Coordinates of all heavy atoms in Angstrom, one line a residue:
V1 N -0.1 -3.1 -0.2 CA 0.8 -2.8 -1.3 C 2.1 -3.5 -1.0 O 2.7 -3.3 0.1 CB 1.0 -1.3 -1.5 CG1 2.1 -1.0 -2.6 CG2 -0.2 -0.6 -1.8
D2 N 2.6 -4.3 -1.9 CA 3.9 -5.0 -1.7 C 5.0 -4.0 -1.9 O 5.1 -3.3 -2.9 CB 4.1 -6.1 -2.8 CG 5.3 -6.9 -2.7 OD1 6.2 -6.6 -1.8 OD2 5.4 -7.9 -3.4
V3 N 5.8 -3.8 -0.8 CA 6.9 -2.9 -0.9 C 8.3 -3.7 -0.6 O 9.3 -3.1 -0.2 CB 6.8 -1.8 0.3 CG1 5.7 -0.9 -0.1 CG2 6.6 -2.3 1.6
S4 N 8.3 -4.9 -1.0 CA 9.5 -5.7 -0.9 C 10.5 -5.2 -1.9 O 10.2 -4.5 -2.8 CB 9.2 -7.2 -1.1 OG 8.7 -7.5 -2.4
E5 N 11.8 -5.6 -1.6 CA 12.9 -5.2 -2.5 C 12.7 -5.6 -3.9 O 13.1 -4.8 -4.9 CB 14.2 -5.7 -2.0 CG 14.7 -5.1 -0.7 CD 15.2 -3.8 -0.8 OE1 15.5 -3.3 -1.9 OE2 15.4 -3.1 0.2
S6 N 11.9 -6.7 -4.2 CA 11.6 -7.1 -5.6 C 10.8 -6.1 -6.3 O 10.8 -6.1 -7.5 CB 11.0 -8.5 -5.5 OG 9.7 -8.4 -5.0
M7 N 10.1 -5.2 -5.6 CA 9.3 -4.2 -6.2 C 10.2 -3.1 -6.9 O 9.6 -2.3 -7.6 CB 8.2 -3.6 -5.3 CG 7.2 -4.6 -4.9 SD 6.2 -5.2 -6.2 CE 5.2 -3.7 -6.5
M8 N 11.4 -3.1 -6.7 CA 12.4 -2.1 -7.2 C 12.9 -2.6 -8.5 O 13.7 -1.9 -9.2 CB 13.5 -1.9 -6.3 CG 13.1 -1.2 -5.0 SD 11.9 0.1 -5.1 CE 13.0 1.4 -5.7
A9 N 12.5 -3.8 -8.9 CA 12.9 -4.4 -10.3 C 12.4 -3.5 -11.4 O 11.4 -2.9 -11.3 CB 12.4 -5.8 -10.5
E10 N 13.2 -3.3 -12.4 CA 13.0 -2.4 -13.5 C 12.5 -3.1 -14.7 O 12.6 -2.6 -15.9 CB 14.3 -1.6 -13.8 CG 14.7 -0.8 -12.6 CD 15.9 0.1 -12.9 OE1 16.6 -0.1 -13.9 OE2 16.3 0.9 -12.0
D11 N 11.8 -4.3 -14.6 CA 11.2 -4.9 -15.7 C 10.0 -4.1 -16.2 O 9.5 -4.3 -17.3 CB 10.8 -6.4 -15.4 CG 10.0 -6.5 -14.2 OD1 9.8 -5.6 -13.3 OD2 9.4 -7.6 -14.0
V12 N 9.5 -3.2 -15.3 CA 8.4 -2.3 -15.7 C 9.1 -0.9 -15.4 O 9.7 -0.7 -14.3 CB 7.2 -2.4 -14.8 CG1 6.1 -1.3 -15.1 CG2 6.5 -3.8 -15.0
K13 N 9.0 0.0 -16.3 CA 9.7 1.3 -16.2 C 8.9 2.3 -15.4 O 7.7 2.4 -15.6 CB 10.1 1.8 -17.5 CG 11.1 1.0 -18.3 CD 12.4 0.9 -17.5 CE 13.4 0.0 -18.2 NZ 14.5 -0.4 -17.5
P14 N 9.4 3.0 -14.4 CA 10.8 3.0 -14.0 C 11.1 1.8 -13.1 O 12.2 1.3 -13.1 CB 11.0 4.3 -13.3 CG 9.7 4.7 -12.8 CD 8.7 4.1 -13.8
N15 N 10.1 1.4 -12.3 CA 10.2 0.2 -11.5 C 8.8 -0.3 -11.1 O 7.9 0.5 -11.2 CB 11.2 0.3 -10.3 CG 10.7 1.4 -9.3 OD1 9.6 1.4 -8.9 ND2 11.6 2.3 -9.0
R16 N 8.7 -1.5 -10.6 CA 7.4 -2.0 -10.2 C 6.7 -1.2 -9.1 O 5.5 -1.0 -9.2 CB 7.5 -3.5 -9.6 CG 8.0 -4.5 -10.6 CD 8.2 -5.8 -10.0 NE 8.8 -6.7 -10.9 CZ 9.2 -8.0 -10.5 NH1 9.0 -8.4 -9.2 NH2 9.7 -8.8 -11.4
L17 N 7.4 -0.7 -8.1 CA 6.8 0.0 -7.0 C 6.2 1.3 -7.6 O 5.1 1.7 -7.2 CB 7.8 0.3 -5.9 CG 7.2 0.9 -4.6 CD1 6.0 0.2 -4.1 CD2 8.2 1.1 -3.6
T18 N 7.0 2.0 -8.4 CA 6.5 3.3 -8.9 C 5.3 3.1 -9.8 O 4.4 3.8 -9.7 CB 7.6 4.0 -9.7 OG1 8.8 4.2 -8.8 CG2 7.2 5.4 -10.3
Q19 N 5.3 2.0 -10.6 CA 4.1 1.7 -11.4 C 3.0 1.4 -10.6 O 1.8 1.9 -10.9 CB 4.5 0.6 -12.4 CG 3.4 0.3 -13.4 CD 3.3 1.5 -14.4 OE1 4.2 2.2 -14.7 NE2 2.0 1.7 -14.8
V20 N 3.1 0.7 -9.5 CA 1.9 0.3 -8.7 C 1.4 1.5 -8.0 O 0.1 1.8 -7.9 CB 2.2 -0.8 -7.7 CG1 2.9 -0.4 -6.5 CG2 0.9 -1.5 -7.3
K21 N 2.2 2.5 -7.6 CA 1.8 3.7 -7.0 C 1.0 4.5 -8.0 O -0.1 5.1 -7.7 CB 3.0 4.5 -6.4 CG 3.6 3.8 -5.2 CD 4.7 4.4 -4.5 CE 5.6 5.3 -5.0 NZ 6.7 5.7 -4.0
L22 N 1.4 4.6 -9.2 CA 0.7 5.3 -10.3 C -0.7 4.7 -10.5 O -1.7 5.5 -10.6 CB 1.5 5.4 -11.6 CG 2.8 6.2 -11.6 CD1 3.6 6.0 -12.8 CD2 2.4 7.7 -11.4
E23 N -0.7 3.4 -10.7 CA -2.0 2.7 -10.9 C -3.0 2.9 -9.8 O -4.1 3.0 -10.0 CB -1.7 1.2 -11.2 CG -0.9 1.0 -12.5 CD -1.6 1.5 -13.8 OE1 -2.9 1.5 -13.8 OE2 -0.9 2.0 -14.7
L24 N -2.5 2.8 -8.5 CA -3.4 2.9 -7.4 C -3.9 4.4 -7.3 O -5.0 4.5 -6.9 CB -2.7 2.5 -6.1 CG -2.5 1.0 -6.0 CD1 -1.6 0.7 -4.7 CD2 -3.7 0.2 -5.9
S25 N -3.1 5.3 -7.6 CA -3.5 6.7 -7.6 C -4.6 6.9 -8.7 O -5.6 7.6 -8.4 CB -2.3 7.6 -7.9 OG -2.7 9.0 -8.0
R26 N -4.5 6.3 -9.9 CA -5.5 6.4 -10.9 C -6.8 5.7 -10.4 O -7.9 6.2 -10.6 CB -5.0 5.7 -12.2 CG -4.0 6.5 -12.9 CD -3.6 5.9 -14.2 NE -2.4 6.4 -14.7 CZ -1.4 5.7 -15.3 NH1 -1.6 4.5 -15.5 NH2 -0.3 6.3 -15.6
L27 N -6.6 4.6 -9.7 CA -7.8 3.8 -9.2 C -8.5 4.7 -8.2 O -9.8 4.8 -8.2 CB -7.4 2.5 -8.5 CG -8.5 1.7 -7.9 CD1 -9.5 1.2 -9.0 CD2 -7.9 0.4 -7.2
L28 N -7.8 5.4 -7.3 CA -8.5 6.3 -6.4 C -9.3 7.4 -7.0 O -10.4 7.7 -6.6 CB -7.4 6.9 -5.4 CG -6.7 6.0 -4.4 CD1 -5.6 6.6 -3.7 CD2 -7.8 5.5 -3.4
D29 N -8.7 7.9 -8.2 CA -9.5 8.9 -8.9 C -10.8 8.3 -9.5 O -11.8 9.1 -9.7 CB -8.7 9.4 -10.1 CG -7.4 10.2 -9.6 OD1 -7.5 10.8 -8.5 OD2 -6.5 10.4 -10.4
L30 N -10.9 7.1 -9.7 CA -12.1 6.5 -10.2 C -13.1 6.0 -9.1 O -14.2 5.5 -9.4 CB -11.7 5.2 -11.0 CG -10.9 5.5 -12.3 CD1 -10.4 4.1 -12.9 CD2 -11.7 6.3 -13.3
M31 N -12.7 6.3 -7.9 CA -13.5 5.8 -6.7 C -13.9 6.9 -5.8 O -13.8 6.7 -4.6 CB -12.8 4.7 -6.0 CG -12.4 3.5 -6.8 SD -11.3 2.4 -5.9 CE -12.1 2.2 -4.3
P32 N -14.4 8.1 -6.3 CA -14.7 9.2 -5.3 C -15.7 8.7 -4.3 O -16.7 8.1 -4.6 CB -15.1 10.3 -6.2 CG -15.7 9.6 -7.5 CD -14.8 8.4 -7.6
G33 N -15.4 9.1 -3.0 CA -16.4 8.8 -1.9 C -16.2 7.4 -1.4 O -16.8 7.1 -0.3
N34 N -15.5 6.5 -1.9 CA -15.3 5.2 -1.4 C -14.2 5.2 -0.3 O -13.2 6.0 -0.4 CB -14.9 4.2 -2.5 CG -16.0 3.8 -3.4 OD1 -16.9 3.0 -3.0 ND2 -16.0 4.4 -4.6
K35 N -14.4 4.4 0.7 CA -13.4 4.4 1.8 C -12.3 3.3 1.4 O -12.7 2.2 1.0 CB -14.0 4.0 3.1 CG -14.8 5.1 3.7 CD -15.2 4.9 5.1 CE -15.9 6.1 5.6 NZ -16.2 6.0 7.0
V36 N -11.1 3.7 1.6 CA -9.9 2.9 1.2 C -8.9 3.0 2.3 O -8.7 4.1 2.9 CB -9.3 3.3 -0.2 CG1 -8.1 2.5 -0.5 CG2 -10.3 3.2 -1.3
G37 N -8.2 1.9 2.6 CA -7.1 2.0 3.5 C -5.8 1.5 2.8 O -5.9 0.8 1.7
I38 N -4.7 1.7 3.4 CA -3.4 1.2 2.8 C -2.6 0.4 3.8 O -2.3 0.9 4.9 CB -2.6 2.4 2.3 CG1 -3.3 3.1 1.2 CG2 -1.3 1.9 1.8 CD1 -2.6 4.4 0.7
I39 N -2.3 -0.7 3.4 CA -1.4 -1.6 4.2 C -0.2 -1.9 3.3 O -0.3 -2.4 2.2 CB -2.0 -2.9 4.6 CG1 -3.2 -2.6 5.7 CG2 -1.1 -3.9 5.2 CD1 -3.9 -3.8 6.1
A40 N 1.0 -1.6 3.9 CA 2.3 -1.9 3.2 C 2.8 -3.2 3.8 O 2.7 -3.5 5.0 CB 3.3 -0.8 3.4
F41 N 3.3 -4.1 2.9 CA 3.8 -5.4 3.4 C 5.0 -5.8 2.6 O 5.2 -5.4 1.5 CB 2.7 -6.5 3.4 CG 2.4 -7.0 2.0 CD1 3.1 -8.1 1.6 CD2 1.6 -6.4 1.2 CE1 2.8 -8.7 0.3 CE2 1.3 -6.9 -0.1 CZ 1.9 -8.1 -0.5
A42 N 5.8 -6.6 3.2 CA 7.0 -7.3 2.7 C 7.1 -8.6 3.5 O 6.1 -9.4 3.5 CB 8.2 -6.5 2.6
G43 N 8.1 -8.7 4.4 CA 8.2 -9.8 5.3 C 7.2 -9.5 6.6 O 6.8 -10.4 7.2
S44 N 6.9 -8.2 6.8 CA 5.9 -7.9 7.8 C 5.0 -6.9 7.2 O 5.1 -6.5 6.0 CB 6.7 -7.2 9.0 OG 7.4 -6.0 8.6
A45 N 3.9 -6.5 7.9 CA 2.9 -5.6 7.4 C 2.6 -4.5 8.3 O 2.7 -4.7 9.6 CB 1.7 -6.4 7.0
V46 N 2.2 -3.4 7.8 CA 1.9 -2.3 8.7 C 0.7 -1.4 8.0 O 0.7 -1.2 6.8 CB 3.1 -1.3 8.9 CG1 3.6 -0.7 7.6 CG2 2.8 -0.2 9.9
L47 N -0.2 -1.0 8.9 CA -1.3 -0.2 8.4 C -0.8 1.2 8.3 O -0.4 1.8 9.3 CB -2.5 -0.2 9.4 CG -3.7 0.6 9.1 CD1 -4.4 0.2 7.9 CD2 -4.7 0.6 10.3
L48 N -0.7 1.7 7.1 CA -0.3 3.1 6.9 C -1.5 4.1 7.0 O -1.3 5.2 7.4 CB 0.4 3.3 5.6 CG 1.7 2.5 5.4 CD1 2.2 2.7 4.0 CD2 2.7 2.9 6.5
S49 N -2.6 3.7 6.5 CA -3.7 4.6 6.5 C -5.0 3.7 6.8 O -5.3 2.8 6.1 CB -4.0 5.3 5.1 OG -5.2 6.0 5.1
P50 N -5.7 4.1 7.8 CA -7.0 3.4 8.1 C -8.0 3.8 6.9 O -7.7 4.7 6.1 CB -7.4 3.9 9.4 CG -6.7 5.2 9.6 CD -5.5 5.1 8.8
L51 N -9.1 3.2 7.0 CA -10.1 3.5 5.9 C -10.4 5.0 6.0 O -10.8 5.5 7.0 CB -11.4 2.7 6.2 CG -11.3 1.2 6.0 CD1 -12.6 0.5 6.4 CD2 -11.0 0.9 4.5
T52 N -10.4 5.6 4.8 CA -10.7 7.0 4.6 C -11.2 7.2 3.2 O -10.9 6.5 2.3 CB -9.5 7.9 4.9 OG1 -9.9 9.2 4.7 CG2 -8.4 7.6 3.9
S53 N -12.1 8.2 3.1 CA -12.6 8.6 1.7 C -11.8 9.9 1.2 O -12.3 10.5 0.3 CB -14.1 8.9 1.7 OG -14.4 9.9 2.8
D54 N -10.7 10.2 1.9 CA -9.9 11.4 1.5 C -8.8 10.9 0.5 O -7.7 10.4 1.0 CB -9.3 12.0 2.8 CG -8.4 13.3 2.5 OD1 -8.2 13.5 1.3 OD2 -8.0 13.9 3.4
P55 N -9.0 11.1 -0.8 CA -8.0 10.7 -1.8 C -6.6 11.4 -1.6 O -5.6 10.8 -1.9 CB -8.7 10.9 -3.1 CG -9.7 11.9 -2.9 CD -10.2 11.8 -1.4
S56 N -6.7 12.6 -1.2 CA -5.4 13.4 -1.1 C -4.5 12.7 0.0 O -3.3 12.6 -0.1 CB -5.7 14.9 -0.7 OG -6.4 15.5 -1.7
A57 N -5.1 12.3 1.1 CA -4.4 11.7 2.2 C -3.8 10.3 1.7 O -2.7 10.0 2.0 CB -5.2 11.5 3.5
L58 N -4.7 9.6 1.0 CA -4.3 8.3 0.5 C -3.1 8.5 -0.4 O -2.2 7.6 -0.4 CB -5.4 7.6 -0.1 CG -6.5 7.1 0.9 CD1 -7.8 6.8 0.1 CD2 -6.0 5.9 1.7
K59 N -3.1 9.5 -1.3 CA -2.1 9.6 -2.3 C -0.8 10.0 -1.6 O 0.3 9.6 -2.0 CB -2.5 10.7 -3.4 CG -3.5 10.1 -4.3 CD -4.0 11.1 -5.3 CE -5.0 10.5 -6.3 NZ -5.4 11.4 -7.3
M60 N -0.9 10.8 -0.5 CA 0.3 11.1 0.3 C 0.9 9.8 0.8 O 2.2 9.7 0.8 CB -0.1 12.1 1.4 CG 1.1 12.5 2.3 SD 0.6 13.4 3.7 CE -0.3 12.2 4.7
Y61 N 0.1 9.0 1.4 CA 0.6 7.7 1.9 C 1.2 6.9 0.7 O 2.3 6.3 0.9 CB -0.4 6.8 2.6 CG -0.7 7.4 4.0 CD1 -1.9 8.0 4.2 CD2 0.2 7.2 5.0 CE1 -2.2 8.5 5.5 CE2 -0.1 7.7 6.3 CZ -1.3 8.3 6.6 OH -1.5 8.8 7.7
L62 N 0.6 6.8 -0.4 CA 1.1 6.1 -1.6 C 2.5 6.6 -2.0 O 3.4 5.9 -2.2 CB 0.2 6.2 -2.8 CG -1.0 5.3 -2.7 CD1 -1.9 5.6 -4.0 CD2 -0.7 3.9 -2.7
D63 N 2.6 8.0 -2.0 CA 3.9 8.6 -2.4 C 5.0 8.2 -1.5 O 6.2 8.1 -1.9 CB 3.7 10.1 -2.4 CG 2.9 10.7 -3.6 OD1 2.7 9.9 -4.6 OD2 2.5 11.8 -3.6
S64 N 4.7 8.0 -0.2 CA 5.7 7.7 0.8 C 6.2 6.2 0.7 O 7.2 5.9 1.4 CB 5.3 8.1 2.2 OG 4.3 7.1 2.6
L65 N 5.5 5.4 0.0 CA 5.8 4.0 0.1 C 7.2 3.7 -0.5 O 7.6 4.2 -1.5 CB 4.9 3.1 -0.8 CG 3.4 3.0 -0.2 CD1 2.5 2.3 -1.3 CD2 3.5 2.2 1.1
S66 N 8.0 2.8 0.2 CA 9.3 2.4 -0.1 C 9.6 1.1 0.5 O 8.8 0.7 1.5 CB 10.4 3.4 0.1 OG 10.7 3.3 1.5
P67 N 10.6 0.4 0.1 CA 11.0 -0.8 0.9 C 11.3 -0.5 2.4 O 11.2 -1.5 3.2 CB 12.3 -1.3 0.2 CG 12.1 -0.9 -1.3 CD 11.4 0.5 -1.1
L68 N 11.5 0.7 2.7 CA 11.7 1.1 4.1 C 10.5 1.3 4.9 O 10.5 1.5 6.1 CB 12.6 2.3 4.2 CG 14.0 2.3 3.5 CD1 14.6 3.6 3.5 CD2 14.8 1.2 4.2
S69 N 9.3 1.1 4.2 CA 8.0 1.3 4.9 C 7.7 0.2 5.9 O 6.8 0.3 6.8 CB 6.9 1.3 3.9 OG 7.1 2.4 3.0
V70 N 8.4 -0.9 5.8 CA 8.2 -2.1 6.7 C 9.5 -2.4 7.3 O 10.6 -2.2 6.9 CB 7.6 -3.3 6.0 CG1 6.2 -2.9 5.5 CG2 8.4 -3.8 4.9
S71 N 9.4 -3.2 8.5 CA 10.6 -3.5 9.3 C 11.3 -4.8 8.8 O 12.5 -4.9 9.0 CB 10.3 -3.7 10.7 OG 9.3 -4.7 10.9
E72 N 10.7 -5.6 8.0 CA 11.2 -6.9 7.5 C 11.0 -7.0 6.0 O 10.0 -6.7 5.5 CB 10.4 -8.1 8.2 CG 11.1 -8.6 9.5 CD 10.2 -9.8 9.9 OE1 10.1 -10.8 9.2 OE2 9.6 -9.6 11.0
Q73 N 12.0 -7.5 5.4 CA 11.9 -7.8 4.0 C 11.5 -9.3 3.7 O 11.4 -10.0 4.7 CB 13.2 -7.5 3.2 CG 13.4 -6.0 2.9 CD 12.3 -5.5 2.1 OE1 12.0 -5.9 1.0 NE2 11.7 -4.4 2.6
G74 N 11.1 -9.5 2.5 CA 10.6 -10.8 2.2 C 9.2 -10.6 1.5 O 9.0 -9.4 1.0
T75 N 8.4 -11.6 1.3 CA 7.1 -11.4 0.8 C 6.1 -12.3 1.5 O 6.1 -13.5 1.3 CB 7.0 -11.7 -0.8 OG1 7.9 -10.9 -1.4 CG2 5.6 -11.4 -1.3
N76 N 5.5 -11.7 2.5 CA 4.6 -12.4 3.4 C 3.2 -11.9 3.2 O 2.7 -10.9 4.0 CB 5.1 -12.2 4.9 CG 4.2 -13.1 5.8 OD1 3.2 -13.7 5.5 ND2 4.7 -13.2 7.1
F77 N 2.4 -12.4 2.2 CA 1.1 -11.9 2.0 C 0.2 -12.1 3.1 O -0.7 -11.4 3.4 CB 0.6 -12.6 0.7 CG -0.7 -12.0 0.2 CD1 -0.8 -10.8 -0.4 CD2 -1.9 -12.7 0.3 CE1 -1.9 -10.2 -0.8 CE2 -3.1 -12.2 -0.1 CZ -3.1 -10.9 -0.7
K78 N 0.4 -13.2 3.8 CA -0.4 -13.6 5.0 C -0.3 -12.4 6.0 O -1.4 -12.1 6.7 CB 0.0 -14.9 5.6 CG -0.8 -15.3 6.8 CD -0.4 -16.6 7.4 CE -1.2 -17.1 8.6 NZ -1.5 -16.1 9.6
A79 N 0.8 -11.8 6.2 CA 0.9 -10.7 7.1 C 0.0 -9.5 6.7 O -0.6 -8.9 7.6 CB 2.4 -10.3 7.2
A80 N -0.1 -9.3 5.5 CA -0.9 -8.2 5.0 C -2.4 -8.5 5.3 O -3.2 -7.7 5.7 CB -0.8 -8.0 3.5
V81 N -2.8 -9.8 5.0 CA -4.2 -10.2 5.3 C -4.5 -10.1 6.8 O -5.5 -9.7 7.2 CB -4.5 -11.6 4.7 CG1 -5.8 -12.1 5.1 CG2 -4.3 -11.6 3.2
D82 N -3.6 -10.6 7.6 CA -3.8 -10.6 9.0 C -3.8 -9.2 9.5 O -4.7 -8.9 10.4 CB -2.6 -11.4 9.8 CG -2.6 -12.9 9.6 OD1 -3.6 -13.4 9.1 OD2 -1.6 -13.5 9.8
E83 N -3.0 -8.3 9.0 CA -3.1 -6.9 9.5 C -4.4 -6.3 9.0 O -5.0 -5.4 9.8 CB -1.9 -6.0 8.9 CG -1.9 -4.6 9.3 CD -1.8 -4.4 10.8 OE1 -1.2 -5.2 11.5 OE2 -2.3 -3.4 11.3
S84 N -4.9 -6.6 7.8 CA -6.2 -6.1 7.4 C -7.3 -6.5 8.4 O -8.2 -5.7 8.7 CB -6.6 -6.6 6.0 OG -5.6 -6.2 5.1
I85 N -7.3 -7.8 8.7 CA -8.3 -8.3 9.6 C -8.2 -7.6 11.0 O -9.2 -7.2 11.6 CB -8.2 -9.9 9.7 CG1 -8.6 -10.5 8.5 CG2 -9.0 -10.4 10.9 CD1 -8.2 -12.0 8.3
A86 N -7.0 -7.5 11.5 CA -6.8 -6.8 12.8 C -7.3 -5.4 12.7 O -7.9 -4.9 13.7 CB -5.3 -6.9 13.1
A87 N -7.0 -4.6 11.6 CA -7.5 -3.3 11.5 C -9.0 -3.2 11.5 O -9.5 -2.3 12.2 CB -6.9 -2.7 10.2
F88 N -9.7 -4.1 10.8 CA -11.1 -4.1 10.9 C -11.6 -4.4 12.3 O -12.5 -3.7 12.8 CB -11.7 -5.1 9.9 CG -11.8 -4.6 8.5 CD1 -11.0 -5.1 7.5 CD2 -12.7 -3.6 8.2 CE1 -11.1 -4.6 6.2 CE2 -12.9 -3.1 6.9 CZ -12.0 -3.6 5.9
N89 N -10.9 -5.3 13.0 CA -11.4 -5.6 14.3 C -11.1 -4.5 15.3 O -11.8 -4.4 16.3 CB -10.6 -6.9 14.9 CG -11.2 -8.2 14.1 OD1 -12.2 -8.2 13.6 ND2 -10.3 -9.2 14.1
R90 N -10.1 -3.6 15.0 CA -9.9 -2.4 15.8 C -10.8 -1.3 15.4 O -10.6 -0.2 16.0 CB -8.4 -2.0 15.7 CG -7.4 -2.9 16.3 CD -6.0 -2.3 16.3 NE -5.5 -1.8 15.0 CZ -4.8 -2.5 14.2 NH1 -4.4 -3.7 14.4 NH2 -4.4 -1.9 13.0
G91 N -11.6 -1.5 14.5 CA -12.4 -0.4 14.0 C -11.7 0.5 13.0 O -12.1 1.6 12.7
G92 N -10.6 0.0 12.4 CA -9.9 0.8 11.3 C -8.9 1.7 11.9 O -8.4 2.5 11.1
V93 N -8.6 1.8 13.2 CA -7.7 2.7 13.7 C -6.3 2.0 13.8 O -6.2 0.8 13.9 CB -8.1 3.2 15.0 CG1 -9.4 4.1 14.9 CG2 -8.3 2.2 16.1
T94 N -5.2 2.8 13.9 CA -3.9 2.3 13.9 C -3.6 1.8 15.3 O -4.1 2.1 16.3 CB -2.9 3.3 13.5 OG1 -3.0 4.5 14.2 CG2 -3.0 3.6 12.0

């Protein structure tokens, strides 16, 4: 999930980040039993939740997302992909 400062833009009400959190929460409701993980990224990336089939835990992580979720601002999609690969290589643990 992109948590860069640009996600606070209000071209989508109330803002892009809030809208993506709502949409991802709805997606989780449509995927019962599927394992999902959450990586937040901007200039850097961090694994917030390893793969889990617990939608309540995932929604808790989604609710906590903000531009402060990562240490660097910017938009580095490669960091998110690299963190995803690293998480799989670690067996999905933080």
Side-chain angles (χ1 to χ4, degrees):
V1 179
D2 184 353
V3 293
S4 62
E5 291 287 342
S6 66
M7 293 298 284
M8 301 309 290
E10 296 179 354
D11 54 345
V12 175
K13 297 295 180 195
N15 60 53
R16 294 176 186 176
L17 185 57
T18 299
Q19 187 62 36
V20 78
K21 291 181 338 183
L22 290 170
E23 293 299 328
L24 289 174
S25 180
R26 288 184 198 141
L27 180 62
L28 289 172
D29 291 338
L30 297 173
M31 302 172 48
N34 286 284
K35 289 190 174 187
V36 177
I38 298 175
I39 292 178
F41 75 96
S44 60
V46 62
L47 177 67
L48 295 180
S49 171
L51 292 174
T52 181
S53 56
D54 182 351
S56 297
L58 290 164
K59 288 179 181 184
M60 180 185 68
Y61 284 108
L62 284 177
D63 287 343
S64 73
L65 289 174
S66 80
L68 300 174
S69 299
V70 295
S71 60
E72 267 180 66
Q73 279 302 305
T75 303
N76 185 352
F77 188 72
K78 182 180 182 313
V81 173
D82 290 346
E83 182 60 31
S84 299
I85 292 168
F88 276 111
N89 289 338
R90 291 190 307 266
V93 296
T94 55

